[in-house]
């Protein structure tokens, strides 16, 4: 299936609030990206905010998804026009914008992902991978502003206070809740279990649903993700090529030590 048809299908599912499976690509490896894609994940989120990704290995990871049915998204390093443009020119089907705290920041994130004809500031290029190096320009230009998913992350008390205005911004498709950053900015270091953090999360959830935006977040495994899907989330990142592998490795080593103690 052509990439633009995959993007359209995934965007429609998310905007309809349907569950979509997703994994983090955080190692900077096109091989782990290929494994996730071939395993059947709907979306792969390339983490340029915290992972060791540059543009070349981001390109390789996107190429590793091609033909698998998996749509590559990019968590850009910051709410920045250049980063959004470069991720989209590589062929990202969606952009995860971190640390959005005001309506103005949400509006800027949307403009970064839209062409000027749709009120945005995204530069246009007819030679990049997104347009199949010039072979698919007309089709891409016709559907990019419609099909590219824009998701903004709420990770601060200011973002919670402004969530109704943020969720109301036209062009914001989804609201991502970053539980570790949110809890830390609320004074609880990586501890979203605190009652005030949970209350803030419920406030974000309610605003997103009220404005018809899909909800996204993370979970440590599918069991945790299922609870979130059942609560109305659409995009849950429930595997990672770092933490999932490290947990498997630690468990295997511990099993060895339990069987063969010194």
């Amino acid at each position: 299936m052509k990439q633009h048809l995959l993007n359209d299908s995934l965007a429609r599912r998310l905007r309809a609030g349907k569950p979509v499976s997703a994994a983090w690509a955080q190692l900077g490896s096109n091989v782990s990206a290929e494994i996730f894609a071939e395993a059947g994940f709907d979306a792969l989120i390339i983490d340029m905010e915290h992972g060791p990704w540059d543009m070349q290995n981001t390109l390789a990871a996107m190429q590793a998804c091609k033909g698998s049915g998996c749509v590559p998204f990019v968590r850009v390093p910051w709410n920045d026009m250049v980063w959004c443009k470069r991720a989209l020119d590589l062929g990202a089907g969606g952009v995860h914008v971190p640390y959005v705290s005001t309506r103005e920041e949400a509006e800027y994130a949307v403009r970064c992902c839209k062409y000027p004809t749709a009120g945005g500031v995204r530069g246009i290029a007819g030679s990049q991978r997104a347009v199949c190096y010039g072979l698919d320009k007309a089709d891409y230009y016709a559907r990019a502003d419609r099909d590219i998913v824009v998701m903004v992350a709420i990770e601060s008390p200011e973002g919670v206070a402004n969530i109704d205005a943020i969720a109301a911004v036209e062009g914001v498709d989804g609201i991502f809740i970053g539980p570790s950053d949110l809890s830390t900015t609320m004074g609880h270091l990586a501890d979203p279990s605190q009652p005030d953090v949970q209350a803030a999360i419920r406030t974000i959830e309610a605003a997103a649903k009220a404005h018809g935006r899909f909800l996204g977040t993370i979970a440590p495994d599918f069991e945790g993700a299922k609870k979130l899907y059942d609560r109305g989330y659409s995009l849950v990142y429930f595997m990672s090529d770092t933490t999932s592998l490290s947990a498997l490795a630690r468990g295997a080593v511990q099993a060895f030590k339990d069987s063969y103690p010194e």
Side-chain angles (χ1 to χ4, degrees), residues 73-171:
F73 280 32
V74 174
R75 176 160 77 171
V76 291
W78 197 243
N79 188 4
D80 178 85
M81 176 178 68
V82 175
W83 281 114
C84 291
K85 173 175 60 179
R86 298 192 77 189
L88 292 172
D89 281 352
L90 284 180
V95 178
H96 171 152
V97 181
Y99 218 88
V100 170
S101 298
T102 67
R103 180 186 182 95
E104 291 74 21
E105 289 173 357
E107 290 172 339
Y108 179 68
V110 172
R111 289 199 303 272
C112 288
C113 298
K114 306 291 184 184
Y115 288 126
T117 47
V121 294
R122 179 186 173 188
I124 194 162
S127 58
Q128 304 308 308
R129 182 173 183 270
V131 296
C132 197
Y133 310 103
L135 299 174
D136 198 24
K137 286 191 295 185
D139 186 46
Y140 183 83
Y141 294 156
R143 59 90 187 165
D145 288 327
R146 180 197 68 203
D147 291 351
I148 287 167
V149 174
V150 180
M151 180 173 63
V152 299
I154 307 300
E155 301 175 289
S156 71
E158 185 181 11
V160 178
N162 292 319
I163 184 57
D164 192 64
I166 291 169
V169 171
E170 185 177 354

Side-chain angles (χ1 to χ4, degrees), residues 225-233:
K226 188 175 187 306
K227 295 176 182 177
L228 292 162
Y229 287 127
D230 291 345
R231 208 163 86 202
Y233 283 75

Side-chain angles (χ1 to χ4, degrees), residues 3-261:
Q3 188 64 43
H4 73 273
L5 296 176
L6 287 173
N7 290 353
D8 175 64
S9 174
L10 191 67
R12 288 175 184 271
R13 288 167 59 190
L14 286 170
R15 290 166 185 158
K18 295 181 179 179
V20 167
S21 63
W24 283 116
Q26 296 177 308
L27 279 174
S29 168
N30 61 302
V31 175
S32 63
E34 186 176 31
I35 290 170
F36 279 139
E38 292 295 340
F41 277 96
D42 297 312
L44 180 73
I45 290 73
I46 299 167
D47 185 8
M48 295 190 80
E49 183 187 14
H50 291 295
W53 293 95
D54 58 28
M55 299 309 295
Q56 195 63 45
N57 59 12
T58 298
L59 167 62
M62 290 189 184
Q63 290 172 324
C65 293
K66 190 171 183 179
S68 68
C70 180
V71 177
F73 280 32
V74 174
R75 176 160 77 171
V76 291
W78 197 243
N79 188 4
D80 178 85
M81 176 178 68
V82 175
W83 281 114
C84 291
K85 173 175 60 179
R86 298 192 77 189
L88 292 172
D89 281 352
L90 284 180
V95 178
H96 171 152
V97 181
Y99 218 88
V100 170
S101 298
T102 67
R103 180 186 182 95
E104 291 74 21
E105 289 173 357
E107 290 172 339
Y108 179 68
V110 172
R111 289 199 303 272
C112 288
C113 298
K114 306 291 184 184
Y115 288 126
T117 47
V121 294
R122 179 186 173 188
I124 194 162
S127 58
Q128 304 308 308
R129 182 173 183 270
V131 296
C132 197
Y133 310 103
L135 299 174
D136 198 24
K137 286 191 295 185
D139 186 46
Y140 183 83
Y141 294 156
R143 59 90 187 165
D145 288 327
R146 180 197 68 203
D147 291 351
I148 287 167
V149 174
V150 180
M151 180 173 63
V152 299
I154 307 300
E155 301 175 289
S156 71
E158 185 181 11
V160 178
N162 292 319
I163 184 57
D164 192 64
I166 291 169
V169 171
E170 185 177 354
V172 168
D173 296 300
I175 302 292
F176 181 89
I177 300 173
S180 293
D181 275 308
L182 179 59
S183 62
T184 300
T185 58
M186 292 180 68
H188 310 291
L189 186 62
D191 184 8
S193 68
Q194 294 296 320
D196 57 337
V197 181
Q198 287 298 307
I201 288 172
R202 294 303 190 277
T203 297
I204 299 168
E205 292 172 344
K209 291 175 183 177
H211 288 280
R213 312 308 182 198
F214 74 80
L215 278 164
T217 193
I218 61 173
D221 49 37
F222 179 70
E223 288 70 24
K226 188 175 187 306
K227 295 176 182 177
L228 292 162
Y229 287 127
D230 291 345
R231 208 163 86 202
Y233 283 75
S234 295
L235 185 63
V236 182
Y237 311 168
F238 58 84
M239 281 198 74
S240 164
D241 54 6
T242 54
T243 55
S244 297
L245 176 59
S246 65
L248 182 63
R250 178 179 292 173
V253 170
Q254 189 60 51
F256 171 81
K257 289 181 177 180
D258 290 345
S259 296
Y260 303 103

